[in-house]
Amino acid sequence: MSTTTTQVNGTTTPNDWTLSAGASKQVAVNQPDDDDTTYIDSGSSSNTVQTFTLSPSLSTGDTITEIVIHARVKRTGGSNANHVFGYSFTPQGGGTQTSESGNNTATNTWADESYTHSGLSVLWGSGLTIYIKNTQARPMALTTFYVVITYTPGGGGSTQPPRTMHQIRMRINP
């Protein structure tokens, strides 16, 4: 098994959160953990969602066995703020692979959180996104957001070594 750590490289819809400090939303949530230097804010409405795109260094046919989403959050208002985060991607062959964490609570200090979705056996295809959703009308901030993927390379058998002309003739003319 192998692992790869992937940081966000863009935003997509829904795109509800506000850049509070930093050059862009992607810069604000990529490592290193820099807390109040760069972050995005949910605002005080409930169910605001911020979605990011990622481009993991996986090949079509790699078998994903675990996805761990890491976040660093804190509340920015007077009360703790509940929230969830999750992921979605298109497996090889189509469809959608998705999962969401249970409720988490942002408190008045920066805290590291994670959500692990293990026991998977899904062939990587394309289009990985992660999101965070504020589930209460209480503001909160996000300063770091990334994914660690555990996978088996070439799990779908889609990566075979090239055949020589002699091997091809041998298969055609046994």
Side-chain angles (χ1 to χ4, degrees):
M1 298 228 184
S2 301
T3 61
T4 185
T5 299
T6 305
Q7 297 196 78
V8 304
N9 62 3
T11 61
T12 188
T13 57
N15 188 13
D16 300 333
W17 289 37
T18 303
L19 176 65
S20 293
S24 69
K25 287 182 180 182
Q26 300 90 279
V27 170
V29 301
N30 279 335
Q31 294 175 304
D33 292 335
D34 53 10
D35 297 346
D36 292 322
T37 306
T38 63
Y39 65 94
I40 61 174
D41 194 282
S42 68
S44 57
S45 298
S46 65
N47 297 318
T48 58
V49 179
Q50 180 61 56
T51 309
F52 292 97
T53 58
L54 301 94
S55 296
S57 57
L58 297 172
S59 299
T60 301
D62 288 350
T63 302
I64 295 175
T65 57
E66 182 177 86
I67 294 178
V68 182
I69 302 172
H70 294 272
R72 186 163 172 82
V73 301
K74 79 171 185 177
R75 73 178 196 217
T76 55
S79 299
N80 291 348
N82 289 339
H83 58 282
V84 296
F85 39 88
Y87 73 89
S88 179
F89 71 88
T90 302
Q92 181 179 335
T96 303
Q97 171 65 42
T98 185
S99 188
E100 183 176 89
S101 73
N103 250 338
N104 299 288
T105 303
T107 63
N108 64 344
T109 58
W110 288 108
D112 294 318
E113 298 178 343
S114 65
Y115 167 61
T116 301
H117 190 191
S118 59
L120 298 170
S121 182
V122 181
L123 295 178
W124 166 251
S126 64
L128 178 61
T129 61
I130 59 175
Y131 65 89
I132 186 165
K133 178 171 68 171
N134 185 14
T135 59
Q136 289 181 303
R138 297 177 182 168
M140 62 175 288
L142 173 71
T143 188
T144 307
F145 208 31
Y146 65 96
V147 175
V148 176
I149 300 170
T150 303
Y151 67 99
T152 303
S158 62
T159 55
Q160 295 183 6
R163 303 284 185 212
T164 66
M165 197 55 145
H166 175 73
Q167 289 171 318
I168 293 170
R169 285 188 190 121
M170 293 294 290
R171 291 185 76 95
I172 297 171
N173 302 316

